[in-house]
Amino acid sequence: MRESLQREIESVKTLSIVGMCKNAGKTTVLNRLLELAPKGRVLGLTSIGRDGESVDAVTGTEKPGIFVREGTLIATAKDMLARSDVTQEILMNTGIPTPLGEVIVARARSAGNVQLAGPSITTQLKTVTDAFFALGADQAIIDGALGRKSLGARTVAEGVILCTGASYHASMEKTVRDTVNAFRILNLKKAETLPEASDAPLGDILKQHGEARVSGALTDSLVLPLLRSGALKNARLIVKDPSKVLLSAETLDKLDARGVSLETEEAAKPLCVTVNPVSAYGWKYDKDAFMRALTEALDVPVIDVKEEGYDQRQL
């Protein structure tokens, strides 16, 4: 890993790994982080969804296991503990239910592979990460499930690694475009000041004050009429966190063109983007072209995830 990036990743207390799609390379990223962690550093691991199984339960494709060191803390559903090959010390019951049983926090008392199936909502994740730190973890890592961009919320994590790859779509151009859009949303500016909340129609608030807080999701169907009416020209829109922004790239471009400042109350910091040019579904991209397109479009490190693992010179 590049030393500066490794230091930055290790500096955040909570880190989420968010995938643009299944088979984007999240587990490979996680394993590399576990491998590179300094000796004696205690990590706490959990997942939204299920991870660590040898065959993906949804796609049927082969997956790498999650290999942990002795001393690692894991939060996983009770049924998954029996499918892990580490010696486990059960530390606490969380009371958090999942389809695979209650989420249990355990410590690995030997090295080996584990399977993760953790909490599904933000408040539950906070409960688990708080437990990790109370038990001596230096960092909590959350492995994200398909489509859960809420992992970019500051209430969940301080830093985000965004994983993308050829499994997202057969068209490299579409994958690049949508990845850049996802990063753009994750990287929205944090609001320095917050306007007062109001129950008045959003258009009226904007026309009167030139800024507004949006309590729910920000969608194309909400924003486009405001653009057409002129209410959004040179205005400020503030959302709770990036997961509330469900805008297309075209609509984001229109907001930029009208001088609209789109901001968030809280957001995690995107640290890097990882790419896997090989699809689990039989196609692959030109690796160099894929890397070049994303590197030119993004202002964070872009790391190449090869099908067989990471290039030793990178993450």
Side-chain angles (χ1 to χ4, degrees), residues 46-47 75-78 92-105 117-129 131:
T46 193
S47 174
T76 190
K78 186 176 181 180
M92 66 176 290
N93 299 333
T94 66
I96 298 170
T98 80
L100 296 168
E102 180 185 1
V103 175
I104 306 294
V105 179
S120 60
I121 60 176
T122 298
T123 53
Q124 294 171 344
L125 284 168
K126 186 68 166 57
T127 296
V128 165
T129 55

Side-chain angles (χ1 to χ4, degrees), residues 28 32 42 159 227 244:
T28 307
R32 188 65 170 140
V42 178
L227 283 169
K244 302 297 188 292

Side-chain angles (χ1 to χ4, degrees), residues 68-223:
V68 302
R69 297 175 183 173
E70 180 181 356
T72 302
L73 298 170
I74 58 173
T76 190
K78 186 176 181 180
D79 289 358
M80 294 296 97
L81 290 175
R83 305 186 191 191
S84 301
D85 60 17
V86 299
T87 303
Q88 304 146 13
E89 176 190 1
I90 305 302
L91 299 177
M92 66 176 290
N93 299 333
T94 66
I96 298 170
T98 80
L100 296 168
E102 180 185 1
V103 175
I104 306 294
V105 179
R107 190 187 308 273
R109 285 303 184 187
S110 65
N113 290 310
V114 299
Q115 293 198 27
L116 300 177
S120 60
I121 60 176
T122 298
T123 53
Q124 294 171 344
L125 284 168
K126 186 68 166 57
T127 296
V128 165
T129 55
D130 285 348
F132 283 154
F133 295 127
L135 292 166
D138 296 300
Q139 184 181 49
I141 301 178
I142 304 164
D143 185 32
L146 180 66
R148 293 303 299 265
K149 304 301 190 300
S150 58
L151 289 173
R154 183 64 172 76
T155 49
V156 175
E158 295 175 33
V160 178
I161 295 175
L162 179 63
C163 305
T164 189
S167 292
Y168 181 78
H169 198 276
S171 166
M172 187 183 81
E173 289 72 21
K174 177 174 175 55
T175 298
V176 169
R177 182 172 63 250
D178 289 355
T179 301
V180 170
N181 194 51
F183 174 84
R184 188 177 177 184
I185 291 170
L186 285 171
N187 201 41
L188 287 172
K189 175 184 176 183
K190 179 178 173 61
E192 295 182 0
T193 60
L194 296 176
E196 292 185 9
S198 172
D199 294 329
L202 188 57
D204 293 345
I205 299 171
L206 288 165
K207 288 177 180 177
Q208 183 175 356
H209 302 288
E211 59 181 9
R213 293 166 71 180
V214 181
S215 58
L218 197 62
T219 63
D220 285 6
S221 61
L222 176 66
V223 167

Side-chain angles (χ1 to χ4, degrees), residues 7 11 29 72 86 88 134 146 161 178 191 212 225 230 264 266 277 281 304:
R7 286 195 299 270
S11 71
V29 172
T72 302
V86 299
Q88 304 146 13
L146 180 66
I161 295 175
D178 289 355
T264 60
E266 53 186 42
Y281 310 111
D304 175 25

